[in-house]
Amino acid sequence: MNKLLTAVLCSCCAFAHAQTADDLINKSGNTDNVTTFGMGYDMKMYSPLKQINKSNVKKLVPVWSFSTTNDMGDLSQPTVYNGVMYVVNGNWTFAIDLETGRQIWRAPMNYDRGALRVAGGGALMRGAATIYNGKLFRQSLDAQVLALDIKTGKEVWKQKYAEWKEGYKGVIAPMIANGVLINGTGGGESTTRGFVEGYDPETGKRLWRTWTVPAPGEPGSETWPNATKPDAYKYGGGSTWQSASYDPELDLIYVGTGNAEPYNPVYREGGDSLYTASILAIRPKTGEIAWHYQYVPNDTYDFDSTAESVLADMTIKGEKRKVLINAHKNGFMYVIDRTNGKLIAANAYVPVNWASHVDLKTGRPVPTDLLERAKKGETVLLTPSRGTNATLIAYNQSKNLVYANTWNFPRTFSFTDAKFVPGADYTGMKSTMAVPPGEAAGYHEAIDPLTGKVAWKIPMMDMPSSAAMLGTDGGLLFTGLLSGEVIALDQDNGKQLWQFKTGSSVNAPPITYTYKGKQYVSVLSGRGGSNAARFVNEKVPAGGMVWTFALMPD
């Protein structure tokens, strides 16, 4: 009886403290908790932990695994707080005991199954379980945002933020910034107009909404053909389907926007199409856009700009600068002053043929003749189709190196008519992607963000990686492979030092943390996502799992 009472009390202690803004900012550097996506608001995907290091990583073994009861794909990052792990996917939310891997509670996601028709890759969830003040926040596939009681998984409130029948989809975790729940939306391939919005996390009341495509008369609307095509902005794209970063000192969130719709520029008359394919610095209390930078004016290639922005402090030409780093899907690595949006550097980190360079004075890419040839009806070969594939990079501040999983898939494309059907695909492009014969499908790379120079590069011949990179002070990089392995690489040269074969593809961000003084690594596996399916197909079985690893005792 005493043992049972002790167990119950210990279980309750895990929920004893509310998750505060200080917990999320984590100025103390507490390594027991991982409370935000990307291992911190700065999204560096880097940990000071080094109990697991290059000399002993071969002794890393699984200590528990947990089924996520899901075959649609597990792409999210676990959240860890006070001895409990929280995991989300498209169909479930879980609370798991960190020590034993046993389920504390699980809550089903009840969504309109018709939403699967517009979801593309299925019921996926990117990001992480968002926790704050005793609640867990997440989206559902049918474009609703909701709060669950973190102790029980019971629903506290739910708000519909868009209509899935119009092409909107809930695939990204919201975030907390300065006490506001920040929410965005997917749907960049269909007839949607993107937005970012803020909610009161206690009540679910919407506080503000900022559209990523301006209405006529608003700043940026002059880049849309409002006079000749007055409805173009209403279906202009610009969805925000990946996670934002946050600078608490500047009180700015940095969120990327997706491609313009349709891809075919004829329907937009070739304008810049703000604020699509851009980075927006937004004040979380009001939704005001403090500044913006457009990576790809008139995005016709499906480049997007939704990849996360890593926040770092750099000394550049003797001056300390607050910067953000973006490994863009378009093949350029950007360094931008995050206080004002001024471009500092932009260099190709993979082969690029759609632009010769980025003009540092204007901030605009200098295009080659590729687009003009396509507009004349030619089928052209675009390089890259994607530099990285919606996966987090890691940044080592002391070495000033970015670690990324890059892709090598040129795309052939030609423009077609864009048929307007509300809620349906609205692209106006025909395309195919393939690995050039004899070449690698992708690479593990270490890149200098200021120059684009590659420090080392390890080929992946059969399949690229759709997993994030995680760096540690143990000299390691943890990532995963579509064939199902979790692996550890040497930060100095990319050499693989360890691997463990899971039962399905690893598409998710790994995390590392301590519990009772011991370092652990956790990651989800589970085949999912339309691009990963191009390579895996049925070669790797579906089925989601959480895997947790630690060093084998001596």
Side-chain angles (χ1 to χ4, degrees), residues 308-385:
E308 84 287 354
S309 295
V310 172
L311 309 186
D313 295 337
M314 287 185 180
T315 300
I316 302 172
K317 297 181 179 179
E319 181 183 359
K320 290 186 177 180
R321 305 284 295 272
K322 293 181 179 294
V323 306
L324 63 81
I325 303 166
N326 186 279
H328 203 285
K329 188 176 169 182
N330 70 13
F332 288 97
M333 182 84 69
Y334 294 82
V335 179
I336 295 172
D337 188 317
R338 69 175 184 269
T339 68
N340 56 27
K342 300 299 182 183
L343 181 64
I344 296 171
N347 294 283
Y349 65 98
V350 294
V352 173
N353 75 349
W354 67 276
S356 61
H357 65 286
V358 178
D359 188 318
L360 294 183
K361 292 183 179 179
T362 66
R364 298 176 69 91
V366 178
T368 62
D369 65 349
L370 200 71
L371 178 58
E372 293 304 315
R373 287 164 47 201
K375 286 163 63 176
K376 292 176 181 178
E378 185 179 341
T379 297
V380 297
L381 183 68
L382 172 67
T383 301
S385 61

Side-chain angles (χ1 to χ4, degrees), residues 425-446:
D425 282 358
Y426 185 49
T427 60
M429 178 199 276
K430 181 179 179 181
S431 69
T432 60
M433 289 192 294
V435 181
E439 295 188 17
Y443 297 88
H444 306 302
E445 297 193 42

